[in-house]
Structure formats: structure tokens, C-alpha cells
Amino acid sequence: MENPRPEERSTQNMEDAARRTGERAAEQTTRIGQAAAEAGEEVARASADMLKQNVETLQQTWRSSLEAATSVMGRSSEQFSRTLGLSEEDAQKTTAAT
């Protein structure tokens, strides 16, 4: 087999360089895609965690508000009964009768 001519070697070198450049570009594109996918997963996890925390906060706020309203209503009923001159026992009987 003969040695390739200088022009053929030059063409072969350019083809090899182009192939290597294409391979590197493909590898870099793959790495960028993987990094973007990982970042997307992290954002989704963070969003889910934040949503969970917000739901828990809302539940606790609702629970506290309900407890406060129940407490206020209990005190108001007692004060109203005292104002009318009813004892606690009379108020319970009246409430049970209605």
C-alpha cells in the first residue's frame, strides 16, 4: 500500500478533527442535558417540600383558630348565663331542653 499524498493526509486530518469536534459537542450536549434534568428534579423536590410546609402551616392555623373560637364561645355562653342569672346547671338544663 502506498503512502497517502499530502493532500489526502490533509483532508483526512480535517475529517478526523471534524469528527472529534462533533463527538465532543455531543458529549457536552449530553452533560448539559443531564445537568438540566437534575436541576429540574431539585426544583420539583423543593416545590413539593414547600407545598407540604404550607399545607401543614394552614392546618395548624386552622386548628388554632378553631380552638380560639371554641374557647371564646364557651366564655361568652358562661357570661351570658351569668347575666341572665342562670347557674351553670340551669344553663345546661336549658341548653339540653332546646
Side-chain angles (χ1 to χ4, degrees):
M1 188 172 211
E2 290 181 36
N3 286 334
R5 294 188 310 219
E7 308 86 51
E8 291 174 352
R9 273 186 275 159
S10 176
T11 301
Q12 183 65 36
N13 289 341
M14 288 188 330
E15 289 173 357
D16 289 344
R19 181 182 45 76
R20 285 191 305 272
T21 301
E23 289 171 354
R24 283 194 300 266
E27 289 171 4
Q28 187 174 17
T29 301
T30 299
R31 284 193 300 272
I32 290 170
Q34 289 171 342
E38 289 171 4
E41 289 174 6
E42 288 180 30
V43 167
R45 273 193 299 276
S47 296
D49 289 344
M50 188 179 302
L51 179 61
K52 181 182 175 191
Q53 289 174 355
N54 287 342
V55 167
E56 290 171 354
T57 300
L58 180 61
Q59 288 173 336
Q60 184 60 40
T61 301
W62 184 259
R63 195 174 298 120
S64 297
S65 297
L66 183 59
E67 289 171 1
T70 302
S71 176
V72 167
M73 288 303 295
R75 285 193 302 259
S76 295
S77 296
E78 291 170 9
Q79 289 174 353
F80 183 70
S81 297
R82 281 194 302 263
T83 300
L84 295 177
L86 299 173
S87 68
E88 187 175 333
E89 185 178 325
D90 292 336
Q92 288 176 353
K93 286 179 185 176
T94 305
T95 303
T98 58

